[in-house]
Amino acid sequence: MTKRAYLQKIPVDITTLDSALKCARESVENKTNLHVVTLNPEMITNAKKNKDFANVINNAELIVADGVGIKIALKLKGINQERIGGVDYSRLLIKMCAKDNLRLALLGAKEEVISSLVEKLKSEFPNINIVFAHNGYFDNDDKILNEIKNAAPQVFLCALGSPKQEFFIYRLKEMLQGCIMVGVGGSFDVFAGFVKRAPLIWQKLGLEWLYRVIKQPERFRRIFPSLPIFLFESIIDSVKK
């Protein structure tokens, strides 16, 4: 059982990457569902405005500190929490699927991205069991939900972007048993080779977000001014009794 802290009334689990992977393995072994939220400042800002989204986060079994802003906000509260990147965590889950022959489902991104991703995974892991793969452009949620239900995955990676992916998982969770479900944002683009990850030194310095803004300037509007405002509100939150 992980310890849970709160940032501006939104929960986040104090854990390690190894412990988060252990939770995933236990989910499969015990045939229980595990919704993993990879939390970043934008999601907290959205959750404060959207009670339904806040409820989805609150009901997740595991909430990990993805964004570097989350790590800084926890540090302000005296908590030294390692950053658990959604890209890294989901990549390790894919490896676990290949190693343990778990059923893997993939949803999201453009058709060319998801098709390329499936090819790359099958090339890298010849025995990987991909039971479902679909792009993120569809009109009938119920149809896709039922298709995934029938595929009965043990690991489901959803790249629809937040908060859409979290709401989708929230609905799917009622339809599955023994599945690890993670919203992975733009991770498929990285895995498929359409987007290059920041050099390792940028990652270690917690500046991967800045590298992505430089490479994808359209992301600037998403981060600013929300990130500075989040950090300012985190300072206020940290001094509250």
Side-chain angles (χ1 to χ4, degrees):
M1 191 73 179
T2 61
K3 179 183 177 183
R4 183 160 282 191
Y6 288 83
L7 297 175
Q8 301 174 44
K9 298 183 179 180
I10 303 300
V12 57
D13 290 306
I14 309 307
T15 187
T16 63
L17 179 58
D18 287 343
S19 293
L21 287 171
K22 183 180 178 182
C23 286
R25 294 189 187 95
E26 289 175 350
S27 171
V28 173
E29 292 170 1
N30 299 329
K31 295 184 179 180
T32 57
N33 288 331
L34 178 71
H35 179 190
V36 182
V37 169
T38 56
L39 194 68
N40 62 37
E42 292 171 73
M43 294 169 73
I44 288 184
T45 300
N46 289 339
K48 288 168 64 180
K49 299 175 183 176
N50 186 331
K51 290 183 179 180
D52 290 336
F53 185 41
N55 180 61
V56 169
I57 295 176
N58 273 288
N59 279 279
E61 286 74 27
L62 183 62
I63 307 162
V64 299
D66 184 348
V68 66
I70 302 297
K71 180 176 179 177
I72 293 172
L74 287 170
K75 189 71 173 178
L76 290 170
K77 287 179 173 286
I79 301 171
N80 188 20
Q81 169 62 42
E82 69 176 85
R83 176 177 175 266
I84 301 176
V87 173
D88 302 309
Y89 185 69
S90 53
R91 177 66 179 172
L92 291 172
L93 290 179
I94 289 173
K95 289 184 177 181
M96 188 171 77
C97 286
K99 180 176 178 291
D100 299 335
N101 192 32
L102 302 180
R103 298 182 298 276
L104 172 65
L106 307 166
L107 177 68
K110 296 178 180 178
E111 179 58 37
E112 60 181 355
V113 173
I114 193 73
S115 297
S116 178
L117 175 58
V118 170
E119 288 181 11
K120 283 181 176 290
L121 291 180
K122 288 183 176 179
S123 175
E124 185 175 356
F125 308 106
N127 296 321
I128 196 164
N129 186 13
I130 300 175
V131 294
F132 177 89
H134 196 286
N135 64 58
Y137 298 85
F138 52 89
D139 297 321
N140 192 333
D141 284 17
D142 290 336
K143 180 176 181 292
I144 299 297
L145 284 163
N146 281 314
E147 287 180 4
I148 298 172
K149 176 186 176 182
N150 292 333
Q154 292 164 289
V155 173
F156 172 60
L157 303 182
C158 188
L160 297 178
S162 184
K164 185 176 181 179
Q165 61 195 17
E166 283 77 32
F167 280 117
F168 190 92
I169 289 173
Y170 187 72
R171 290 188 63 191
L172 182 64
K173 189 160 67 169
E174 297 180 353
M175 306 170 72
L176 296 178
Q177 185 175 359
C179 185
I180 306 155
M181 293 163 272
V182 190
V184 298
S187 296
F188 289 0
D189 296 85
V190 175
F191 295 153
F194 283 73
V195 173
K196 186 178 179 181
R197 282 199 77 177
L200 191 59
I201 185 64
W202 288 66
Q203 295 179 41
K204 288 183 176 180
L205 291 173
L207 295 174
E208 189 168 9
W209 63 273
L210 179 58
Y211 181 88
R212 293 182 70 181
V213 169
I214 293 171
K215 293 294 183 181
Q216 299 173 287
E218 66 273 12
R219 295 177 63 88
F220 184 85
R221 287 185 180 181
R222 285 177 48 193
I223 296 177
F224 294 96
S226 61
L227 181 57
I229 290 173
F230 168 79
L231 293 175
F232 176 73
E233 291 176 339
S234 295
I235 292 171
I236 295 173
D237 185 49
S238 68
V239 298
K240 287 181 179 178
K241 298 297 182 181

